[in-house]
Amino acid sequence: MSIRRSIAAAVFVAAVSAPTVIGTAQAMAETAPPTPVGQSVPDAEPTESTDSTEPTETVEQAAPAAPSTPAAPAEQAAPPAESESTTAPELDEAALRARLADALAEPGHYDHYYETVAKAQGGTPEQIQHFLDAELARVVQDDNALEAAKVLSAAEPGSPIWEAAQKAFDDGSPEAIERFLKKTLPALIDSDNRVKLSQFAEDPLISAGLRAKALAVLDKGNAEAIALFLEGAPGALMDDFRIQATQAMAVNGPEVRKVVNQLLTNGTMEELRAFLSKGLAEAQARDRAAAEQENGGTGGNGQQPGDGGNGGNSGNGVTQAGLTTTTTTTATTTSTTSADSTGTELAFTGPGTPLSGLTATGAAAIALGAGALVVTRRRRQES
């Protein structure tokens, strides 16, 4: 009886303390460190065995499940991901377009840059933001490369500008190309412009006033002023040549006036330069020849003894003879007439020949014959 009572007491105590033991075991299992991999669990120490098979089964059956607080669902713990993706921040379109306008107004770039930025103005706010943040830097590099290629193509091979551009492209980096465009090229252009302005001032055909202006700009040494003067130099030179041609027309004869009228109507820079360097002198020579032809009869043939000072008659005779043939004949006769009119009077024997001219011709022939006779006699004496 005592043994049965002891077993019953033990079962009662186990039933009462089972929930506490089970909860403790669960807590210890949750907090216990994991068993290291590769290590064996030590054997548990043997405990005194009692005839507890039946009580154990009773404990396991009588142990109720510990009540647990239901965990909050995951959807309630954090907001859904869909709500985050659908609420993207709104773009400030006005601010983006203002940035794009500033980029378009930025100085120091070239054609490709401004054309590309202007084209980007037609995009959506998202496209404008992507252009400003991701594409604009590349556009600047491409713009510099294209401009440097233009400079290289336009430069004379072997010139300082050509060599500097070639060196930048040999390097190939965006920094080298930008340095060539922003620093090296302006310095080379300024040096080249000074040489051009010096050559312009040394042109022997420009007027003294235009030369003084060119030298004044050169003495100041301002690169922008020199470049501006050279930009307007062709027009200033054209005006200067036209003024010089007009002044020549005012003080010269009909041949000069005729040529200048044609040049002022549709003459080019090269034609005006050729006129001032050579054509003016040729036109003046034609005017002098015409004046000498017009006054040749009175000045050379008319003032002979025996004419009684009436040189107009003898002059009219020669002029009329020329008019009955051609103008070319008259001009030729005038240019070949010597001081004593020998060639002219011998060639002309038609009606109206002046008597004084024939007398002078005969006297000249006699003198020539006498001179030839004297020379012949001297040669005979010497032999």
Side-chain angles (χ1 to χ4, degrees):
M1 291 293 293
S2 60
I3 295 174
R4 291 180 178 179
R5 288 178 181 177
S6 297
I7 294 173
V11 171
F12 177 77
V13 172
V16 172
S17 61
T20 304
V21 174
I22 294 173
T24 304
Q26 291 178 353
M28 293 179 63
E30 292 176 357
T31 59
T35 302
V37 179
Q39 298 182 1
S40 61
V41 180
D43 297 336
E45 295 181 357
T47 57
E48 295 182 357
S49 60
T50 57
D51 191 8
S52 60
T53 304
E54 184 177 353
T56 302
E57 294 177 356
T58 306
V59 171
E60 291 178 356
Q61 293 177 359
S68 59
T69 304
E75 294 181 358
Q76 296 180 1
E82 294 181 357
S83 61
E84 294 181 356
S85 61
T86 56
T87 58
E90 295 183 359
L91 296 176
D92 189 348
E93 183 176 356
L96 290 172
R97 295 194 178 278
R99 286 178 56 192
L100 192 61
D102 293 340
L104 185 61
E106 186 174 290
H109 300 289
Y110 310 99
D111 294 341
H112 175 73
Y113 173 88
Y114 294 114
E115 291 174 359
T116 307
V117 175
K119 186 177 179 180
Q121 290 180 326
T124 63
E126 291 78 8
Q127 292 172 339
I128 293 175
Q129 185 178 29
H130 182 268
F131 175 80
L132 292 172
D133 297 340
E135 299 180 14
L136 186 59
R138 183 63 182 177
V139 170
V140 173
Q141 295 178 5
D142 294 343
D143 184 54
N144 289 339
L146 289 172
E147 185 64 21
K150 291 180 182 178
V151 173
L152 178 63
S153 177
E156 182 180 357
S159 65
I161 293 178
W162 187 90
E163 292 180 352
Q166 190 67 50
K167 183 178 180 181
F169 277 109
D170 291 341
D171 184 284
S173 65
E175 294 76 14
I177 294 177
E178 183 176 6
R179 183 169 55 253
F180 164 74
L181 290 174
K182 306 302 181 183
K183 294 182 179 180
T184 307
L185 182 61
L188 292 175
I189 290 177
D190 180 50
S191 177
D192 191 46
N193 285 344
R194 292 176 186 276
V195 173
K196 290 180 179 179
L197 186 55
S198 298
Q199 294 173 347
F200 180 88
E202 293 173 358
D203 189 344
L205 294 179
I206 67 173
S207 64
L210 185 58
R211 180 178 292 106
K213 291 180 181 179
L215 292 176
V217 174
L218 188 62
D219 291 340
K220 290 182 180 179
N222 184 271
E224 289 77 11
I226 292 175
L228 183 62
F229 183 90
L230 289 176
E231 183 179 353
L237 188 61
M238 184 72 171
D239 294 340
D240 186 67
F241 284 172
R242 291 172 67 88
I243 291 173
Q244 293 186 55
T246 303
Q247 293 172 347
M249 181 177 64
V251 296
N252 285 280
E255 288 292 329
V256 174
R257 289 195 295 269
K258 180 176 68 175
V259 176
V260 171
N261 280 327
Q262 294 176 353
L263 291 174
L264 294 180
T265 302
N266 53 10
T268 63
M269 173 80 74
E270 292 74 15
E271 291 172 342
L272 283 167
R273 177 179 289 277
F275 169 76
L276 293 175
S277 62
K278 185 178 179 181
L280 177 59
E282 294 175 350
Q284 289 173 337
R286 291 195 298 271
D287 281 332
R288 286 194 299 270
E292 291 175 358
Q293 174 187 347
E294 183 178 353
N295 300 325
T298 58
N301 298 330
Q303 302 296 330
Q304 295 291 338
D307 289 342
N310 188 9
N313 293 334
S314 61
N316 290 336
V318 176
T319 303
Q320 290 174 1
L323 291 176
T324 55
T325 57
T326 59
T327 305
T328 304
T329 303
T330 304
T332 304
T333 303
T334 303
S335 61
T336 56
T337 302
S338 61
D340 56 1
S341 302
T342 303
T344 302
E345 299 300 338
L346 288 176
F348 181 77
T349 57
T353 302
L355 183 60
S356 60
L358 293 176
T359 305
T361 302
I366 293 173
L368 290 174
L373 181 61
V374 171
V375 172
T376 303
R377 288 179 179 177
R378 288 181 179 179
R379 288 180 179 176
R380 290 177 178 176
Q381 291 176 358
E382 291 176 357
S383 60

